[in-house]
Amino acid sequence: MPMTRVALEQVAKTFPGPKGQPIPALRDLSLAAAPGECLVLLGPSGSGKSTALRIVAGLETPDAGRMLLDGRDQAGVPPQDRDVGMVFQQAALYPHLSVRDNLRLGLRLRRHAEADMDRRLQDVAVRLRLEPLLDRHPAALSGGEARRVALGRALMRQPRVLLLDEPLSQLDAPLRAQL
């Protein structure tokens, strides 16, 4: 999978406040992550970390500035065409699907071959210790197990860019260290 350069150039985003006044989430944010680089955004709650990730994923549109993938402005490019995977703060699993089916869903929708889905499933299940959970449904998972499934679902796709919004927040210390 080719690596991708991600850049935000002078990005701004506001949201309407309770009385209609604009509340800034991002002001003049510029950053770049080189291909293969891991970039971490740190800050207090409400500082715009999730908003920045959602802009990269195409789930939010900046009010100003540009978001670029490999130097190409992504304005108007829908999320499904960006090849960006995102793990949200909440696991957001499909409750009617087993762990196995939650993991395979993205590839199934993209019409991947069964053998490819099986190979990726085996790899992700081993790496994230999901093998004993594959036949369970989300209601039968702990918070940490659900987070691992959500992470696995994003990894299954092998996206050019992987965004993690507090990915280790509900994991126990040993598993957090391993991941």
Side-chain angles (χ1 to χ4, degrees):
M1 179 62 55
M3 295 293 185
T4 301
R5 177 179 169 77
V6 177
L8 295 176
E9 296 179 346
Q10 299 178 311
V11 169
K13 180 69 179 177
T14 60
F15 293 100
K19 296 182 180 176
Q21 78 283 15
I23 297 175
L26 298 173
R27 292 183 193 147
D28 198 30
L29 175 65
S30 294
L31 57 83
E37 182 177 18
C38 181
L39 176 70
V40 178
L41 300 177
L42 295 173
S45 180
S47 64
K49 304 176 302 290
S50 295
T51 300
L53 295 178
R54 291 176 59 81
I55 287 172
V56 173
L59 303 174
E60 295 285 351
T61 303
D63 297 330
R66 300 186 320 152
M67 199 297 289
L68 304 122
L69 294 178
D70 284 336
R72 288 187 292 276
D73 192 339
Q74 298 298 294
V77 177
Q80 66 271 19
D81 294 337
R82 293 185 183 199
D83 198 13
V84 172
M86 184 163 175
V87 179
F88 298 91
Q89 285 179 330
Q90 299 300 320
L93 301 176
Y94 295 97
H96 64 288
L97 297 178
S98 68
V99 167
R100 173 181 284 104
D101 292 337
N102 264 285
L103 291 170
R104 292 169 52 112
L105 182 63
L107 299 181
R108 176 163 282 134
L109 293 173
R110 288 170 183 79
R111 301 183 192 276
H112 279 252
E114 288 292 323
D116 182 46
M117 288 191 284
D118 290 343
R119 180 186 52 75
R120 290 187 196 191
L121 178 69
Q122 178 64 29
D123 178 58
V124 166
V126 167
R127 289 195 308 173
L128 297 178
R129 298 183 184 173
L130 295 173
E131 306 104 306
L133 308 176
L134 291 175
D135 293 321
R136 289 192 195 169
H137 282 75
L141 302 176
S142 70
E145 290 167 343
R147 294 292 291 167
R148 285 187 283 151
V149 174
L151 179 58
R153 186 172 57 195
L155 292 173
M156 288 278 292
R157 286 193 44 226
Q158 299 176 342
R160 294 185 317 155
V161 175
L162 181 61
L163 305 172
L164 307 173
D165 196 354
E166 298 191 33
L168 308 177
S169 62
Q170 295 179 12
L171 302 180
D172 60 44
L175 184 56
R176 186 180 305 138
Q178 178 198 9
L179 293 177

